[in-house]
Amino acid sequence: MTTPPLAALRLPVRAGRPEGDGWVAADRLLGPGSPALEERVRAFGRQIGAERPAVAASLLLEAYAGLVAGVAFGYLVGAGHAPELAAANVSLRFQPGQVPDALALHDPLAVAVHDLLPGGRGRPGRAGQPAQLGRLASSLLDGHLGVLVARLEELRVGRGPRALWGLVANGCGAAIAQTAERTGRSPQQARELAEAFFGLPGSPLPGPPRLLEVPLARGTRLVRKRLSCCLSYALAGCDYCVTCPVFSDGRATELAAARLTALAGDG
C-alpha cells in the first residue's frame, strides 16, 4: 500500500515555537510546581459545568492524549518515523476553557531517538517490531503523557493512576483507529499496530482497547472501546458514551452505529 503524504493526513500540527493565541509550551504547562495545568482543568470544568474535578480532568486528559498520539501515529504510519514528542519539544493550543486542539513541534526535524529511560536502553521493542515503535513510546509516553499523568496525580483530581492511564489508552486507541482510517489501513492492520504498541515491554498502558468494526450505510467505521470511563455521564444532559466500558462490545457497536448514522444525517 502506498504511504500517503503527511499533508493528506490533515494532522493538527505546525512547526516552530508559537506564541500568543492560546499557545502554551508543554514543559511549562507540566512543570513541577506550575499552577498552569490546575488552572486549565478548573477553566475547562467551569466551561462544561463539571462539579467534580475528576470529570474535567478525565475529559481533558483523554482529549490531550488523543491529540498528541494522533500526531505520533500519523507521522509513524504516514512518514515511517516518529517525531520528538517529549514535552520540551511541544506546544499546545487551548481555546479559552477548552481542551487542546492543535500541536506545534518546536523542532519538526527532531526524531524520537534519544534515550528517555535509566540505564541507557530506551523502551525496548519485541522481536520483529520496528525500532520506531519503541522510540515513539519513549517520546510519547515517558517524555510527555506520563508527565501529564504524574502531574494530575499530584493535583489529586479524584482519579487513580490506573484510571488515568486508562484514559491515556483511550486517546491512543482512538488515534490508532483514526490514523488507520485516514491512511486506508485495514482493521486488522490497526489491531496489529495497537497490539504492538500496547504490548511493548514496560508499558504503563493497560489494554489494548478493543477496536470495534461499526457497520454503516456507506461502509465500516473503526471505533475504539474505552478502557476507563471518561465520566461524561456526570454532566447535565449527558448519558454514557456509546463506547463506555459499561456496555458489551455488541451493544457498543449498535450504539456507535446509531450515533454515527445520526451525525452523518443518514438516519
Side-chain angles (χ1 to χ4, degrees), residues 64-162:
Y64 189 127
L67 171 65
V68 184
V71 172
F73 290 109
Y75 268 86
L76 183 68
V77 176
H81 66 80
E84 177 54 85
L85 287 165
N89 194 45
V90 170
S91 287
L92 301 109
R93 185 179 67 189
F94 289 81
Q95 302 298 338
Q98 299 293 327
V99 298
D101 64 356
L103 180 151
L105 296 170
H106 300 166
D107 181 358
L109 299 180
V111 178
V113 295
H114 66 276
D115 177 26
L116 291 167
L117 294 180
R121 297 188 305 276
R123 184 174 292 284
R126 291 179 175 173
Q129 290 179 353
Q132 296 98 316
L133 204 59
R135 293 197 291 266
L136 181 149
S138 290
S139 172
L140 176 67
L141 301 179
D142 302 313
H144 199 147
L145 298 180
V147 183
L148 174 58
V149 166
R151 290 288 290 115
L152 288 173
E153 286 187 71
E154 291 171 7
L155 294 177
R156 298 185 178 182
V157 295
R159 304 298 306 264
R162 181 172 179 80

